[in-house]
Amino acid sequence: MLLYRLQDLHCQGCASLIEAEIMTISGVIGVKFDFDTKILRIENDGSNLDQKVEDIVSRIEPSVTVTSIDEKNIPSPSVATSGWFLLLERFQKEGKRLGAAAFIFTISLIFRKRLAATPYGIGEYAFFLTAYFLSGSEVLLNTLRNLKNRRGLDEFSLMSIATIAAISIGELPEAVAVMLFYSTGELLQEISASKSRNSIRSLLAARPQYAQVLRKGAEIKVKPENVHINELIFVRPGEKIPLDGIIESGISQIDQSPLTGEPVPIRAEPGKKVYGGSINLRGALTIRVSSLFEETTIARVLEMVEFAVARKSPTERFITTFAKYYTPAVVLGALAVAAIPPLFGAGTFTNWAYRALVLLVISCPCALVISIPLGYFGGIGAASRRGILIKGGNILDALSSAKIIAFDKTGTLTEGVFKVTDIVPQQGVSEDELISLAASLEKESNHPIARSIADATDVNTLQTPEGLEEMAGKGLRGFIKGQPILVGNSKLLAESGFKNIKDPEQGTVVHVAQGHRYLGYITVSDIIRSDAMHAMQALRESGLSQFIVLTGDTDSGAKWVAQKVGVDKYIANLLPQGKVLELNKIKAQLGSREKIVFVGDGLNDAPALATADIGIAMGGLGSEASIETADVVILDDALSKIADALLLARRTRKIVWQNIILALATKAFFIALGIAGIAGMWEAVFADVGIALLAVLNSTRTIHCK
């Protein structure tokens, strides 16, 4: 990813133009400018774009300085720039100018008659034009740049054309009012927008600022980027853990809420892995670093969240295209309103020209262009604070259309921790004898089921088998004290001559036989997640129509879990490619606007996560595969957060469409009034600046989505 600092870029519209033009460069995947840090991020194929970026920026905003930087030089949001600080800085630069414009405008209105009485009305023009240029200088400069660079018409062009024409027909107060309220409205919109930026900034503040490294017996304070793998770092109570690592010494409580959104601390002790960005609450810890900073969980999470807003939703792309053709159409419509009626004797040219100017001001697309991306930005930020990472507005849109959800079983609906839940010996055989004999064969295996059986018995009771042979997919065969022992599934025993061996429905069953004698069976079960049933209920209430389990487990194991958690359908004995095949079958049956979600653990489920319309990875904390492959990452193991993500996506989309309908309906209403001569410039200012501000305020509601 390429990073550039764009110093002194404050214009939202210009930033959007820069992003749009850079997206046209071959090899560019995504672009996002961060107003807080002034950093432009470009995701591309690795080619050097320095000169192209500089040319584009200087053409759109000549006063902006472009500097190529690396990740280590990005200022920390927690230190430098709160949204309110940036707004105060802008008010210091522009507030005096706008304040002076407002003062002169007020004086001009009060003494207008006296000023108009001066020779040729010079006094009136001098005062009003001074206020006009003070309040509209930025708008006029942007219009001149558009003309110079032969760019299409935008909101700056509309404001300039309308106000200059108003001056030409003697409507001086209206021209100044439009410029003054438009410029003031831009600042007010930024105040509202800063709330959305704060939602992302709160997560970025988790970025550690320093690390206390133990080198040559002394503590040295360095940047996390300068710490090497296997170095020891010291973290005191109340400090952030700067990098991923394994605790060497110390016992404490760790707050992982900056990463997962979960407020309950976890116990930290020697041997336990901890993650950068977490907070050490109690005891001092010595941690051996396991990852370089750019490879840590917090670094990958920050990069993903910072770049998520660059991935535009279909709605955002439509509005961008719509505005491109809408603005020229409005100008042509205004020209028609000004020219055609007077030709047919329906009134004077001045009267219809004024109505055309009103139309230009009303039709400015600011409300749509600014508020819609802001709505998605707020939704992504609200999700990130809950430990739900959503990779862009396009994913939010897709989530809002989800109809079917499919789950992996092990590690998703269950905890992925196998335990012996039942020991059923035949008559004359004790439980201890049965489990000890099975564990004697299983103790050398790394299979999770084998490990659970070995862990369920006393190691001192185990015997050493001879001639141990593993039967792939079936079990083990060996000899203990000359007696042949079988430990495995019913298929293995059936092949060895044992008949009528049946499996109970619950869990994975391991049968044990000695010689020609059947000794009994052991049931090994994965533990169902504690919130699985509650999560299924919440997902049903969110509007999903079907629930499916896709698993590589046996039919009996899949059936038991499916019934326990309340899933409609299960398909068992699937390899990774089998899950992909089943997902494609389901997708082929869905409508064009209906989506399927797959939820997996982010590792062996990577093909299925990539195949589904939306892939959700559970327990992504520390899992690079889940962050890279999935569209949505749940940083802890809370299944209930999937329903939160769906509801948040639908609420965000609802708010976005509220803005679209509000803006278009209001503008259509005032356009009709303007053409009829009922609405004037003052109403036009409300229809433009007022509606834009209302739409931006409405967009900030996504920040507080529950």
Side-chain angles (χ1 to χ4, degrees), residues 6 107-108 211-213 256 335 372 406 424 506 566 585 594 661:
L6 307 187
I107 295 297
S108 302
Q212 296 282 5
V213 187
Q256 291 186 336
L335 289 173
I372 291 172
V424 184
Q506 179 178 336
K585 288 180 182 178
E594 297 176 330
I661 294 169

Side-chain angles (χ1 to χ4, degrees), residues 27 59 68 142 155 227 239 283 329 429 441 459 493 514 532 539 546 571 659 662:
R59 189 170 69 251
S68 177
N142 281 314
E155 66 269 24
V227 180
E239 293 182 339
V429 181
L441 267 67
V459 66
L493 268 70
Q514 184 179 40
L539 286 168
Q546 189 177 14
I571 303 174
N659 284 342
L662 171 70

Side-chain angles (χ1 to χ4, degrees), residues 345-382:
T348 65
F349 175 78
T350 301
N351 180 38
W352 283 102
Y354 181 79
R355 297 185 190 187
L357 301 181
V358 171
L359 175 62
L360 287 178
V361 175
I362 293 172
S363 301
C364 181
C366 298
L368 297 175
V369 174
I370 296 174
S371 67
I372 291 172
L374 197 58
Y376 286 105
F377 195 101
I380 292 168

Side-chain angles (χ1 to χ4, degrees), residues 333-344 349 352-353 356:
L335 289 173
V337 168
I340 295 175
L343 294 177
F344 292 93
F349 175 78
W352 283 102

Side-chain angles (χ1 to χ4, degrees), residues 401-476:
S401 302
K403 291 295 180 184
I404 296 176
I405 187 166
F407 298 89
D408 170 52
K409 181 182 78 69
T410 305
T412 302
L413 294 176
T414 66
E415 294 184 2
V417 178
F418 290 91
K419 290 186 178 180
V420 172
T421 55
D422 209 2
I423 303 173
V424 184
Q426 294 291 293
Q427 188 173 4
V429 181
S430 69
E431 291 186 4
D432 289 342
E433 183 182 356
L434 182 66
I435 190 78
S436 176
L437 201 58
S440 295
L441 267 67
E442 299 277 25
K443 65 179 180 180
E444 300 300 329
S445 174
N446 289 322
H447 192 282
I449 292 175
R451 298 307 312 156
S452 65
I453 292 174
D455 292 342
T457 188
D458 184 354
V459 66
N460 295 320
T461 66
L462 302 185
Q463 304 176 65
T464 302
E466 298 177 351
L468 189 63
E469 181 183 3
E470 183 172 354
M471 318 298 289
K474 299 174 185 177
L476 299 169

Side-chain angles (χ1 to χ4, degrees), residues 10-18 35 60 155-156 186 369-370:
H10 302 294
C11 169
Q12 177 76 54
C14 299
S16 298
L17 286 172
I18 290 170
F35 271 92
I60 295 173
E155 66 269 24
F156 301 121
E186 286 288 297
V369 174
I370 296 174

